[in-house]
Amino acid sequence: MNVFSFISNIFEPAVKLIDEVHTSTEEKLQLQSQIKAVENELLAKVIDYENQLLKSKTDIITAEATGQSWMQRNWRPITMLTFLALVVFDSFGWLPNPLAKEAWTLLQIGLGGYVAGRSAEKMTQQYLKARPAEPKNDAAKG
């Protein structure tokens, strides 16, 4: 279960409960709207957090890729290529001992991390562009 469906599942019982409350339809809709607003605000904060986390990871990889040392710039690609070669050798039975399950998991995380991270970064940027701007507080100016 991902965090977004978890948050939605938290608010779902409250929305259903409002339907059972004995009040006018207008009041029910207003309460449901308020709950949805809180849910959306929480989801926006989760997305902002995920975006900051992704930016931090991107900054680390960028710093490594632009570093002074050859080893600093290339250790991740070398590691992933080494594991890829081991997987290919294992697939053809060229290794004296089969790879442990952890090696496969490490390769999946390593290769999938780059693809998933880049996809998440693009989706987050799209969301932030589409999100309405925060209203400015004119009282703070006075």
mmCIF file of all heavy atoms in Angstrom, residues 68-119:
data_model
loop_
_atom_site.group_PDB
_atom_site.id
_atom_site.type_symbol
_atom_site.label_atom_id
_atom_site.label_comp_id
_atom_site.label_asym_id
_atom_site.label_seq_id
_atom_site.Cartn_x
_atom_site.Cartn_y
_atom_site.Cartn_z
ATOM 1 N N GLN A 68 35.475 16.006 -8.468
ATOM 2 C CA GLN A 68 36.843 16.131 -8.955
ATOM 3 C C GLN A 68 37.459 14.764 -9.289
ATOM 4 O O GLN A 68 38.162 14.619 -10.270
ATOM 5 C CB GLN A 68 37.700 16.842 -7.904
ATOM 6 C CG GLN A 68 37.269 18.262 -7.608
ATOM 7 C CD GLN A 68 37.541 19.189 -8.787
ATOM 8 O OE1 GLN A 68 38.486 18.999 -9.532
ATOM 9 N NE2 GLN A 68 36.686 20.180 -8.939
ATOM 10 N N SER A 69 37.157 13.784 -8.478
ATOM 11 C CA SER A 69 37.785 12.480 -8.609
ATOM 12 C C SER A 69 37.070 11.612 -9.646
ATOM 13 O O SER A 69 35.838 11.574 -9.710
ATOM 14 C CB SER A 69 37.759 11.788 -7.244
ATOM 15 O OG SER A 69 38.029 10.415 -7.364
ATOM 16 N N TRP A 70 37.859 10.860 -10.421
ATOM 17 C CA TRP A 70 37.282 9.937 -11.396
ATOM 18 C C TRP A 70 36.441 8.875 -10.687
ATOM 19 O O TRP A 70 35.365 8.528 -11.126
ATOM 20 C CB TRP A 70 38.412 9.279 -12.194
ATOM 21 C CG TRP A 70 37.912 8.312 -13.211
ATOM 22 C CD1 TRP A 70 37.563 8.596 -14.485
ATOM 23 C CD2 TRP A 70 37.670 6.910 -13.025
ATOM 24 N NE1 TRP A 70 37.114 7.466 -15.114
ATOM 25 C CE2 TRP A 70 37.177 6.408 -14.232
ATOM 26 C CE3 TRP A 70 37.834 6.037 -11.955
ATOM 27 C CZ2 TRP A 70 36.848 5.077 -14.405
ATOM 28 C CZ3 TRP A 70 37.498 4.713 -12.127
ATOM 29 C CH2 TRP A 70 37.012 4.240 -13.343
ATOM 30 N N MET A 71 36.949 8.401 -9.557
ATOM 31 C CA MET A 71 36.233 7.367 -8.805
ATOM 32 C C MET A 71 34.921 7.909 -8.250
ATOM 33 O O MET A 71 33.898 7.222 -8.286
ATOM 34 C CB MET A 71 37.108 6.837 -7.656
ATOM 35 C CG MET A 71 36.470 5.689 -6.919
ATOM 36 S SD MET A 71 36.111 4.274 -7.967
ATOM 37 C CE MET A 71 37.676 3.462 -7.940
ATOM 38 N N GLN A 72 34.913 9.132 -7.770
ATOM 39 C CA GLN A 72 33.701 9.751 -7.242
ATOM 40 C C GLN A 72 32.631 9.848 -8.332
ATOM 41 O O GLN A 72 31.460 9.625 -8.079
ATOM 42 C CB GLN A 72 34.014 11.141 -6.699
ATOM 43 C CG GLN A 72 32.806 11.863 -6.127
ATOM 44 C CD GLN A 72 33.117 13.294 -5.717
ATOM 45 O OE1 GLN A 72 34.184 13.817 -5.974
ATOM 46 N NE2 GLN A 72 32.159 13.921 -5.079
ATOM 47 N N ARG A 73 33.036 10.174 -9.544
ATOM 48 C CA ARG A 73 32.078 10.337 -10.642
ATOM 49 C C ARG A 73 31.549 9.007 -11.152
ATOM 50 O O ARG A 73 30.457 8.956 -11.703
ATOM 51 C CB ARG A 73 32.727 11.103 -11.799
ATOM 52 C CG ARG A 73 33.011 12.543 -11.509
ATOM 53 C CD ARG A 73 33.465 13.284 -12.762
ATOM 54 N NE ARG A 73 34.566 12.642 -13.473
ATOM 55 C CZ ARG A 73 35.859 12.901 -13.272
ATOM 56 N NH1 ARG A 73 36.216 13.794 -12.379
ATOM 57 N NH2 ARG A 73 36.774 12.273 -13.967
ATOM 58 N N ASN A 74 32.291 7.942 -10.998
ATOM 59 C CA ASN A 74 31.950 6.709 -11.715
ATOM 60 C C ASN A 74 31.669 5.488 -10.850
ATOM 61 O O ASN A 74 31.411 4.416 -11.388
ATOM 62 C CB ASN A 74 33.091 6.375 -12.696
ATOM 63 C CG ASN A 74 33.200 7.421 -13.774
ATOM 64 O OD1 ASN A 74 32.261 7.649 -14.509
ATOM 65 N ND2 ASN A 74 34.347 8.072 -13.854
ATOM 66 N N TRP A 75 31.683 5.606 -9.531
ATOM 67 C CA TRP A 75 31.528 4.405 -8.723
ATOM 68 C C TRP A 75 30.147 3.774 -8.865
ATOM 69 O O TRP A 75 30.023 2.544 -8.884
ATOM 70 C CB TRP A 75 31.881 4.660 -7.256
ATOM 71 C CG TRP A 75 30.836 5.361 -6.448
ATOM 72 C CD1 TRP A 75 30.697 6.691 -6.274
ATOM 73 C CD2 TRP A 75 29.779 4.747 -5.715
ATOM 74 N NE1 TRP A 75 29.612 6.961 -5.475
ATOM 75 C CE2 TRP A 75 29.032 5.779 -5.118
ATOM 76 C CE3 TRP A 75 29.377 3.431 -5.503
ATOM 77 C CZ2 TRP A 75 27.915 5.529 -4.331
ATOM 78 C CZ3 TRP A 75 28.257 3.186 -4.718
ATOM 79 C CH2 TRP A 75 27.544 4.233 -4.138
ATOM 80 N N ARG A 76 29.078 4.578 -8.970
ATOM 81 C CA ARG A 76 27.730 3.990 -9.121
ATOM 82 C C ARG A 76 27.585 3.241 -10.438
ATOM 83 O O ARG A 76 27.130 2.086 -10.452
ATOM 84 C CB ARG A 76 26.654 5.068 -9.002
ATOM 85 C CG ARG A 76 26.407 5.545 -7.594
ATOM 86 C CD ARG A 76 25.332 6.629 -7.587
ATOM 87 N NE ARG A 76 25.302 7.332 -6.340
ATOM 88 C CZ ARG A 76 24.469 7.044 -5.343
ATOM 89 N NH1 ARG A 76 23.597 6.088 -5.471
ATOM 90 N NH2 ARG A 76 24.511 7.734 -4.235
ATOM 91 N N PRO A 77 27.934 3.877 -11.578
ATOM 92 C CA PRO A 77 27.805 3.130 -12.838
ATOM 93 C C PRO A 77 28.669 1.866 -12.868
ATOM 94 O O PRO A 77 28.227 0.820 -13.353
ATOM 95 C CB PRO A 77 28.273 4.133 -13.898
ATOM 96 C CG PRO A 77 28.104 5.475 -13.279
ATOM 97 C CD PRO A 77 28.303 5.277 -11.810
ATOM 98 N N ILE A 78 29.883 1.935 -12.310
ATOM 99 C CA ILE A 78 30.753 0.751 -12.296
ATOM 100 C C ILE A 78 30.120 -0.354 -11.456
ATOM 101 O O ILE A 78 30.101 -1.524 -11.865
ATOM 102 C CB ILE A 78 32.158 1.121 -11.751
ATOM 103 C CG1 ILE A 78 32.902 1.980 -12.771
ATOM 104 C CG2 ILE A 78 32.957 -0.138 -11.418
ATOM 105 C CD1 ILE A 78 34.182 2.585 -12.241
ATOM 106 N N THR A 79 29.581 0.007 -10.310
ATOM 107 C CA THR A 79 28.942 -0.980 -9.436
ATOM 108 C C THR A 79 27.758 -1.641 -10.133
ATOM 109 O O THR A 79 27.615 -2.873 -10.113
ATOM 110 C CB THR A 79 28.473 -0.321 -8.119
ATOM 111 O OG1 THR A 79 29.597 0.287 -7.487
ATOM 112 C CG2 THR A 79 27.818 -1.318 -7.200
ATOM 113 N N MET A 80 26.916 -0.842 -10.774
ATOM 114 C CA MET A 80 25.731 -1.400 -11.424
ATOM 115 C C MET A 80 26.120 -2.250 -12.638
ATOM 116 O O MET A 80 25.523 -3.307 -12.875
ATOM 117 C CB MET A 80 24.759 -0.293 -11.829
ATOM 118 C CG MET A 80 24.150 0.452 -10.638
ATOM 119 S SD MET A 80 23.641 -0.575 -9.236
ATOM 120 C CE MET A 80 22.548 -1.729 -9.973
ATOM 121 N N LEU A 81 27.126 -1.828 -13.390
ATOM 122 C CA LEU A 81 27.579 -2.635 -14.526
ATOM 123 C C LEU A 81 28.187 -3.955 -14.050
ATOM 124 O O LEU A 81 28.006 -5.001 -14.690
ATOM 125 C CB LEU A 81 28.583 -1.850 -15.369
ATOM 126 C CG LEU A 81 27.984 -0.727 -16.219
ATOM 127 C CD1 LEU A 81 29.093 0.102 -16.865
ATOM 128 C CD2 LEU A 81 27.048 -1.278 -17.273
ATOM 129 N N THR A 82 28.886 -3.927 -12.936
ATOM 130 C CA THR A 82 29.455 -5.152 -12.371
ATOM 131 C C THR A 82 28.335 -6.124 -11.982
ATOM 132 O O THR A 82 28.394 -7.319 -12.321
ATOM 133 C CB THR A 82 30.324 -4.823 -11.134
ATOM 134 O OG1 THR A 82 31.357 -3.932 -11.537
ATOM 135 C CG2 THR A 82 30.915 -6.077 -10.530
ATOM 136 N N PHE A 83 27.317 -5.612 -11.307
ATOM 137 C CA PHE A 83 26.200 -6.478 -10.932
ATOM 138 C C PHE A 83 25.439 -6.975 -12.152
ATOM 139 O O PHE A 83 24.996 -8.120 -12.204
ATOM 140 C CB PHE A 83 25.255 -5.771 -9.956
ATOM 141 C CG PHE A 83 25.648 -5.970 -8.534
ATOM 142 C CD1 PHE A 83 26.359 -4.994 -7.862
ATOM 143 C CD2 PHE A 83 25.334 -7.130 -7.865
ATOM 144 C CE1 PHE A 83 26.747 -5.180 -6.548
ATOM 145 C CE2 PHE A 83 25.715 -7.335 -6.552
ATOM 146 C CZ PHE A 83 26.433 -6.352 -5.890
ATOM 147 N N LEU A 84 25.313 -6.132 -13.166
ATOM 148 C CA LEU A 84 24.649 -6.557 -14.403
ATOM 149 C C LEU A 84 25.435 -7.691 -15.057
ATOM 150 O O LEU A 84 24.853 -8.688 -15.496
ATOM 151 C CB LEU A 84 24.500 -5.373 -15.352
ATOM 152 C CG LEU A 84 23.790 -5.661 -16.668
ATOM 153 C CD1 LEU A 84 22.364 -6.141 -16.415
ATOM 154 C CD2 LEU A 84 23.782 -4.421 -17.543
ATOM 155 N N ALA A 85 26.763 -7.562 -15.098
ATOM 156 C CA ALA A 85 27.592 -8.625 -15.674
ATOM 157 C C ALA A 85 27.441 -9.920 -14.865
ATOM 158 O O ALA A 85 27.320 -11.011 -15.447
ATOM 159 C CB ALA A 85 29.054 -8.186 -15.714
ATOM 160 N N LEU A 86 27.422 -9.799 -13.539
ATOM 161 C CA LEU A 86 27.242 -10.989 -12.708
ATOM 162 C C LEU A 86 25.898 -11.662 -12.979
ATOM 163 O O LEU A 86 25.809 -12.898 -13.023
ATOM 164 C CB LEU A 86 27.364 -10.620 -11.229
ATOM 165 C CG LEU A 86 28.772 -10.324 -10.729
ATOM 166 C CD1 LEU A 86 28.717 -9.771 -9.308
ATOM 167 C CD2 LEU A 86 29.644 -11.559 -10.808
ATOM 168 N N VAL A 87 24.854 -10.870 -13.168
ATOM 169 C CA VAL A 87 23.528 -11.434 -13.445
ATOM 170 C C VAL A 87 23.532 -12.155 -14.794
ATOM 171 O O VAL A 87 22.977 -13.254 -14.929
ATOM 172 C CB VAL A 87 22.444 -10.325 -13.403
ATOM 173 C CG1 VAL A 87 21.143 -10.810 -13.992
ATOM 174 C CG2 VAL A 87 22.239 -9.871 -11.967
ATOM 175 N N VAL A 88 24.150 -11.543 -15.793
ATOM 176 C CA VAL A 88 24.223 -12.189 -17.115
ATOM 177 C C VAL A 88 25.001 -13.502 -17.008
ATOM 178 O O VAL A 88 24.558 -14.543 -17.513
ATOM 179 C CB VAL A 88 24.865 -11.233 -18.155
ATOM 180 C CG1 VAL A 88 25.176 -11.962 -19.448
ATOM 181 C CG2 VAL A 88 23.940 -10.051 -18.414
ATOM 182 N N PHE A 89 26.150 -13.468 -16.329
ATOM 183 C CA PHE A 89 26.944 -14.682 -16.161
ATOM 184 C C PHE A 89 26.155 -15.746 -15.411
ATOM 185 O O PHE A 89 26.195 -16.927 -15.755
ATOM 186 C CB PHE A 89 28.247 -14.381 -15.421
ATOM 187 C CG PHE A 89 29.259 -13.604 -16.213
ATOM 188 C CD1 PHE A 89 30.426 -13.169 -15.615
ATOM 189 C CD2 PHE A 89 29.058 -13.277 -17.546
ATOM 190 C CE1 PHE A 89 31.367 -12.449 -16.323
ATOM 191 C CE2 PHE A 89 29.996 -12.565 -18.264
ATOM 192 C CZ PHE A 89 31.153 -12.141 -17.660
ATOM 193 N N ASP A 90 25.424 -15.322 -14.381
ATOM 194 C CA ASP A 90 24.605 -16.252 -13.604
ATOM 195 C C ASP A 90 23.495 -16.852 -14.468
ATOM 196 O O ASP A 90 23.199 -18.044 -14.367
ATOM 197 C CB ASP A 90 24.013 -15.531 -12.393
ATOM 198 C CG ASP A 90 23.269 -16.476 -11.474
ATOM 199 O OD1 ASP A 90 23.889 -17.436 -10.976
ATOM 200 O OD2 ASP A 90 22.058 -16.257 -11.257
ATOM 201 N N SER A 91 22.892 -16.034 -15.322
ATOM 202 C CA SER A 91 21.804 -16.510 -16.183
ATOM 203 C C SER A 91 22.271 -17.600 -17.144
ATOM 204 O O SER A 91 21.522 -18.516 -17.480
ATOM 205 C CB SER A 91 21.214 -15.348 -16.975
ATOM 206 O OG SER A 91 20.655 -14.412 -16.107
ATOM 207 N N PHE A 92 23.513 -17.487 -17.608
ATOM 208 C CA PHE A 92 24.050 -18.487 -18.530
ATOM 209 C C PHE A 92 24.777 -19.627 -17.816
ATOM 210 O O PHE A 92 25.316 -20.516 -18.450
ATOM 211 C CB PHE A 92 25.004 -17.821 -19.541
ATOM 212 C CG PHE A 92 24.303 -17.000 -20.569
ATOM 213 C CD1 PHE A 92 24.387 -15.622 -20.543
ATOM 214 C CD2 PHE A 92 23.539 -17.601 -21.570
ATOM 215 C CE1 PHE A 92 23.731 -14.852 -21.495
ATOM 216 C CE2 PHE A 92 22.884 -16.844 -22.524
ATOM 217 C CZ PHE A 92 22.975 -15.461 -22.477
ATOM 218 N N GLY A 93 24.800 -19.573 -16.479
ATOM 219 C CA GLY A 93 25.442 -20.634 -15.714
ATOM 220 C C GLY A 93 26.959 -20.563 -15.755
ATOM 221 O O GLY A 93 27.638 -21.572 -15.587
ATOM 222 N N TRP A 94 27.521 -19.424 -16.005
ATOM 223 C CA TRP A 94 28.971 -19.250 -16.126
ATOM 224 C C TRP A 94 29.648 -18.979 -14.780
ATOM 225 O O TRP A 94 30.874 -18.846 -14.730
ATOM 226 C CB TRP A 94 29.302 -18.118 -17.085
ATOM 227 C CG TRP A 94 28.866 -18.375 -18.502
ATOM 228 C CD1 TRP A 94 28.531 -19.562 -19.065
ATOM 229 C CD2 TRP A 94 28.699 -17.395 -19.525
ATOM 230 N NE1 TRP A 94 28.173 -19.398 -20.369
ATOM 231 C CE2 TRP A 94 28.263 -18.074 -20.689
ATOM 232 C CE3 TRP A 94 28.863 -16.018 -19.582
ATOM 233 C CZ2 TRP A 94 28.007 -17.415 -21.878
ATOM 234 C CZ3 TRP A 94 28.616 -15.372 -20.779
ATOM 235 C CH2 TRP A 94 28.195 -16.065 -21.912
ATOM 236 N N LEU A 95 28.882 -18.857 -13.718
ATOM 237 C CA LEU A 95 29.469 -18.631 -12.392
ATOM 238 C C LEU A 95 29.593 -19.964 -11.662
ATOM 239 O O LEU A 95 28.728 -20.833 -11.797
ATOM 240 C CB LEU A 95 28.599 -17.680 -11.564
ATOM 241 C CG LEU A 95 28.474 -16.242 -12.063
ATOM 242 C CD1 LEU A 95 27.530 -15.454 -11.160
ATOM 243 C CD2 LEU A 95 29.826 -15.558 -12.124
ATOM 244 N N PRO A 96 30.665 -20.129 -10.876
ATOM 245 C CA PRO A 96 30.811 -21.395 -10.150
ATOM 246 C C PRO A 96 29.704 -21.609 -9.112
ATOM 247 O O PRO A 96 29.311 -22.739 -8.840
ATOM 248 C CB PRO A 96 32.181 -21.288 -9.473
ATOM 249 C CG PRO A 96 32.580 -19.861 -9.564
ATOM 250 C CD PRO A 96 31.785 -19.220 -10.648
ATOM 251 N N ASN A 97 29.196 -20.515 -8.553
ATOM 252 C CA ASN A 97 28.098 -20.591 -7.582
ATOM 253 C C ASN A 97 27.016 -19.607 -8.007
ATOM 254 O O ASN A 97 27.316 -18.475 -8.412
ATOM 255 C CB ASN A 97 28.585 -20.215 -6.181
ATOM 256 C CG ASN A 97 29.647 -21.165 -5.673
ATOM 257 O OD1 ASN A 97 29.500 -22.376 -5.776
ATOM 258 N ND2 ASN A 97 30.722 -20.618 -5.137
ATOM 259 N N PRO A 98 25.753 -20.001 -7.900
ATOM 260 C CA PRO A 98 24.679 -19.072 -8.279
ATOM 261 C C PRO A 98 24.656 -17.851 -7.365
ATOM 262 O O PRO A 98 25.050 -17.925 -6.193
ATOM 263 C CB PRO A 98 23.392 -19.892 -8.126
ATOM 264 C CG PRO A 98 23.781 -21.232 -7.644
ATOM 265 C CD PRO A 98 25.248 -21.290 -7.464
ATOM 266 N N LEU A 99 24.183 -16.745 -7.914
ATOM 267 C CA LEU A 99 24.071 -15.512 -7.124
ATOM 268 C C LEU A 99 23.000 -15.668 -6.049
ATOM 269 O O LEU A 99 21.982 -16.331 -6.259
ATOM 270 C CB LEU A 99 23.687 -14.332 -8.016
ATOM 271 C CG LEU A 99 24.767 -13.783 -8.929
ATOM 272 C CD1 LEU A 99 24.186 -12.645 -9.775
ATOM 273 C CD2 LEU A 99 25.951 -13.275 -8.137
ATOM 274 N N ALA A 100 23.231 -15.030 -4.941
ATOM 275 C CA ALA A 100 22.238 -15.011 -3.862
ATOM 276 C C ALA A 100 21.075 -14.113 -4.267
ATOM 277 O O ALA A 100 21.216 -13.233 -5.135
ATOM 278 C CB ALA A 100 22.888 -14.496 -2.580
ATOM 279 N N LYS A 101 19.942 -14.320 -3.651
ATOM 280 C CA LYS A 101 18.768 -13.494 -3.940
ATOM 281 C C LYS A 101 19.039 -12.019 -3.668
ATOM 282 O O LYS A 101 18.510 -11.143 -4.336
ATOM 283 C CB LYS A 101 17.569 -13.947 -3.100
ATOM 284 C CG LYS A 101 17.025 -15.283 -3.508
ATOM 285 C CD LYS A 101 15.834 -15.664 -2.645
ATOM 286 C CE LYS A 101 15.325 -17.031 -3.018
ATOM 287 N NZ LYS A 101 14.175 -17.421 -2.208
ATOM 288 N N GLU A 102 19.881 -11.734 -2.693
ATOM 289 C CA GLU A 102 20.197 -10.345 -2.351
ATOM 290 C C GLU A 102 20.890 -9.620 -3.498
ATOM 291 O O GLU A 102 20.712 -8.421 -3.681
ATOM 292 C CB GLU A 102 21.070 -10.277 -1.088
ATOM 293 C CG GLU A 102 20.382 -10.711 0.182
ATOM 294 C CD GLU A 102 20.320 -12.220 0.366
ATOM 295 O OE1 GLU A 102 20.985 -12.951 -0.387
ATOM 296 O OE2 GLU A 102 19.585 -12.654 1.268
ATOM 297 N N ALA A 103 21.674 -10.338 -4.291
ATOM 298 C CA ALA A 103 22.338 -9.713 -5.438
ATOM 299 C C ALA A 103 21.302 -9.263 -6.471
ATOM 300 O O ALA A 103 21.414 -8.189 -7.044
ATOM 301 C CB ALA A 103 23.335 -10.681 -6.071
ATOM 302 N N TRP A 104 20.301 -10.091 -6.688
ATOM 303 C CA TRP A 104 19.226 -9.716 -7.612
ATOM 304 C C TRP A 104 18.464 -8.506 -7.075
ATOM 305 O O TRP A 104 18.121 -7.588 -7.821
ATOM 306 C CB TRP A 104 18.263 -10.894 -7.806
ATOM 307 C CG TRP A 104 18.848 -11.989 -8.628
ATOM 308 C CD1 TRP A 104 19.513 -13.091 -8.162
ATOM 309 C CD2 TRP A 104 18.859 -12.086 -10.047
ATOM 310 N NE1 TRP A 104 19.923 -13.864 -9.212
ATOM 311 C CE2 TRP A 104 19.532 -13.283 -10.379
ATOM 312 C CE3 TRP A 104 18.350 -11.299 -11.069
ATOM 313 C CZ2 TRP A 104 19.712 -13.696 -11.687
ATOM 314 C CZ3 TRP A 104 18.537 -11.715 -12.369
ATOM 315 C CH2 TRP A 104 19.207 -12.893 -12.673
ATOM 316 N N THR A 105 18.194 -8.516 -5.784
ATOM 317 C CA THR A 105 17.488 -7.396 -5.167
ATOM 318 C C THR A 105 18.294 -6.108 -5.292
ATOM 319 O O THR A 105 17.745 -5.059 -5.630
ATOM 320 C CB THR A 105 17.207 -7.697 -3.679
ATOM 321 O OG1 THR A 105 16.469 -8.910 -3.594
ATOM 322 C CG2 THR A 105 16.432 -6.567 -3.025
ATOM 323 N N LEU A 106 19.588 -6.199 -5.052
ATOM 324 C CA LEU A 106 20.447 -5.022 -5.171
ATOM 325 C C LEU A 106 20.437 -4.477 -6.591
ATOM 326 O O LEU A 106 20.367 -3.259 -6.796
ATOM 327 C CB LEU A 106 21.869 -5.358 -4.722
ATOM 328 C CG LEU A 106 22.863 -4.218 -4.741
ATOM 329 C CD1 LEU A 106 22.400 -3.092 -3.821
ATOM 330 C CD2 LEU A 106 24.228 -4.699 -4.317
ATOM 331 N N LEU A 107 20.480 -5.357 -7.568
ATOM 332 C CA LEU A 107 20.443 -4.913 -8.968
ATOM 333 C C LEU A 107 19.108 -4.243 -9.283
ATOM 334 O O LEU A 107 19.070 -3.194 -9.934
ATOM 335 C CB LEU A 107 20.684 -6.087 -9.903
ATOM 336 C CG LEU A 107 20.705 -5.718 -11.380
ATOM 337 C CD1 LEU A 107 21.916 -4.845 -11.686
ATOM 338 C CD2 LEU A 107 20.714 -6.951 -12.250
ATOM 339 N N GLN A 108 18.018 -4.832 -8.823
ATOM 340 C CA GLN A 108 16.703 -4.230 -9.064
ATOM 341 C C GLN A 108 16.599 -2.853 -8.437
ATOM 342 O O GLN A 108 16.083 -1.919 -9.049
ATOM 343 C CB GLN A 108 15.592 -5.134 -8.510
ATOM 344 C CG GLN A 108 15.397 -6.398 -9.281
ATOM 345 C CD GLN A 108 14.415 -7.335 -8.594
ATOM 346 O OE1 GLN A 108 14.121 -7.192 -7.418
ATOM 347 N NE2 GLN A 108 13.927 -8.312 -9.334
ATOM 348 N N ILE A 109 17.084 -2.706 -7.217
ATOM 349 C CA ILE A 109 17.043 -1.408 -6.538
ATOM 350 C C ILE A 109 17.921 -0.407 -7.268
ATOM 351 O O ILE A 109 17.528 0.729 -7.515
ATOM 352 C CB ILE A 109 17.472 -1.549 -5.064
ATOM 353 C CG1 ILE A 109 16.431 -2.327 -4.281
ATOM 354 C CG2 ILE A 109 17.708 -0.178 -4.439
ATOM 355 C CD1 ILE A 109 16.876 -2.727 -2.887
ATOM 356 N N GLY A 110 19.114 -0.840 -7.627
ATOM 357 C CA GLY A 110 20.050 0.058 -8.291
ATOM 358 C C GLY A 110 19.565 0.539 -9.641
ATOM 359 O O GLY A 110 19.562 1.733 -9.934
ATOM 360 N N LEU A 111 19.143 -0.403 -10.481
ATOM 361 C CA LEU A 111 18.652 -0.016 -11.806
ATOM 362 C C LEU A 111 17.282 0.642 -11.720
ATOM 363 O O LEU A 111 17.018 1.647 -12.367
ATOM 364 C CB LEU A 111 18.593 -1.233 -12.734
ATOM 365 C CG LEU A 111 19.930 -1.843 -13.126
ATOM 366 C CD1 LEU A 111 19.725 -3.070 -13.999
ATOM 367 C CD2 LEU A 111 20.793 -0.827 -13.850
ATOM 368 N N GLY A 112 16.401 0.087 -10.910
ATOM 369 C CA GLY A 112 15.056 0.643 -10.770
ATOM 370 C C GLY A 112 15.059 1.996 -10.088
ATOM 371 O O GLY A 112 14.216 2.843 -10.362
ATOM 372 N N GLY A 113 16.017 2.230 -9.203
ATOM 373 C CA GLY A 113 16.081 3.505 -8.490
ATOM 374 C C GLY A 113 16.282 4.681 -9.423
ATOM 375 O O GLY A 113 15.676 5.732 -9.260
ATOM 376 N N TYR A 114 17.123 4.507 -10.415
ATOM 377 C CA TYR A 114 17.349 5.591 -11.364
ATOM 378 C C TYR A 114 16.092 5.871 -12.186
ATOM 379 O O TYR A 114 15.686 7.007 -12.356
ATOM 380 C CB TYR A 114 18.512 5.258 -12.303
ATOM 381 C CG TYR A 114 19.859 5.456 -11.664
ATOM 382 C CD1 TYR A 114 20.642 4.367 -11.326
ATOM 383 C CD2 TYR A 114 20.346 6.728 -11.397
ATOM 384 C CE1 TYR A 114 21.880 4.533 -10.732
ATOM 385 C CE2 TYR A 114 21.590 6.899 -10.799
ATOM 386 C CZ TYR A 114 22.348 5.804 -10.480
ATOM 387 O OH TYR A 114 23.557 5.979 -9.891
ATOM 388 N N VAL A 115 15.456 4.812 -12.678
ATOM 389 C CA VAL A 115 14.259 4.979 -13.505
ATOM 390 C C VAL A 115 13.102 5.523 -12.678
ATOM 391 O O VAL A 115 12.452 6.492 -13.048
ATOM 392 C CB VAL A 115 13.871 3.632 -14.161
ATOM 393 C CG1 VAL A 115 12.562 3.746 -14.902
ATOM 394 C CG2 VAL A 115 14.983 3.176 -15.094
ATOM 395 N N ALA A 116 12.838 4.900 -11.522
ATOM 396 C CA ALA A 116 11.725 5.339 -10.672
ATOM 397 C C ALA A 116 11.974 6.737 -10.133
ATOM 398 O O ALA A 116 11.059 7.560 -10.068
ATOM 399 C CB ALA A 116 11.514 4.357 -9.529
ATOM 400 N N GLY A 117 13.193 7.021 -9.748
ATOM 401 C CA GLY A 117 13.512 8.352 -9.224
ATOM 402 C C GLY A 117 13.288 9.438 -10.247
ATOM 403 O O GLY A 117 12.713 10.483 -9.960
ATOM 404 N N ARG A 118 13.714 9.185 -11.462
ATOM 405 C CA ARG A 118 13.533 10.178 -12.525
ATOM 406 C C ARG A 118 12.041 10.337 -12.853
ATOM 407 O O ARG A 118 11.564 11.443 -13.054
ATOM 408 C CB ARG A 118 14.319 9.754 -13.766
ATOM 409 C CG ARG A 118 14.302 10.757 -14.865
ATOM 410 C CD ARG A 118 15.069 12.001 -14.468
ATOM 411 N NE ARG A 118 15.002 12.945 -15.566
ATOM 412 C CZ ARG A 118 14.776 14.222 -15.443
ATOM 413 N NH1 ARG A 118 14.625 14.752 -14.258
ATOM 414 N NH2 ARG A 118 14.713 14.997 -16.475
ATOM 415 N N SER A 119 11.284 9.243 -12.894
ATOM 416 C CA SER A 119 9.851 9.314 -13.164
ATOM 417 C C SER A 119 9.137 10.087 -12.060
ATOM 418 O O SER A 119 8.277 10.926 -12.337
ATOM 419 C CB SER A 119 9.251 7.915 -13.281
ATOM 420 O OG SER A 119 9.833 7.220 -14.347
#
